[in-house]
Amino acid sequence: MRVPTRLLRCEWPPNPGVQRGNSHFDVILESVRREGILEPIIIKLDWSVIDGAHRLSAARLLGIESVEVRVWTGVEFVE
């Protein structure tokens, strides 16, 4: 399912590893710039990110308005 990046919630304050200048994040940012997001972001039913905060931050910095997600209910993934 594809959802707008503005609806997704991440940890606040942001993890310092999810910002420009962090070498790991800069590699991800460049990868998303070149190839897009290859793996869906995993979210809970409340739109909070379980896995993919780095990819989501990169998408937002690059102006990507929607991303592919998988929703985890705590028991199973739903489509």
Side-chain angles (χ1 to χ4, degrees):
M1 162 173 54
R2 204 158 181 87
V3 300
T5 55
R6 71 183 189 300
L7 295 179
L8 300 176
R9 299 184 349 210
C10 284
E11 164 186 326
W12 190 259
N15 174 332
V18 187
Q19 298 175 3
R20 280 186 173 156
N22 175 283
S23 60
H24 178 69
F25 180 73
D26 288 344
V27 168
I28 293 170
L29 181 64
E30 188 55 34
S31 172
V32 170
R33 182 188 327 271
R34 282 191 324 270
E35 303 172 37
I37 296 178
L38 303 177
E39 291 289 323
I41 293 170
I42 309 298
I43 64 171
K44 294 192 261 182
L45 292 169
D46 67 358
W47 301 92
S48 60
V49 174
I50 298 171
D51 181 53
H54 290 84
R55 286 172 276 152
L56 177 59
S57 290
R60 287 176 171 161
L61 282 171
L62 295 170
I64 297 171
E65 295 183 3
S66 66
V67 292
E68 199 66 32
V69 299
R70 294 189 72 203
V71 180
W72 177 250
T73 66
V75 177
E76 64 186 354
F77 284 103
V78 294
E79 299 304 321

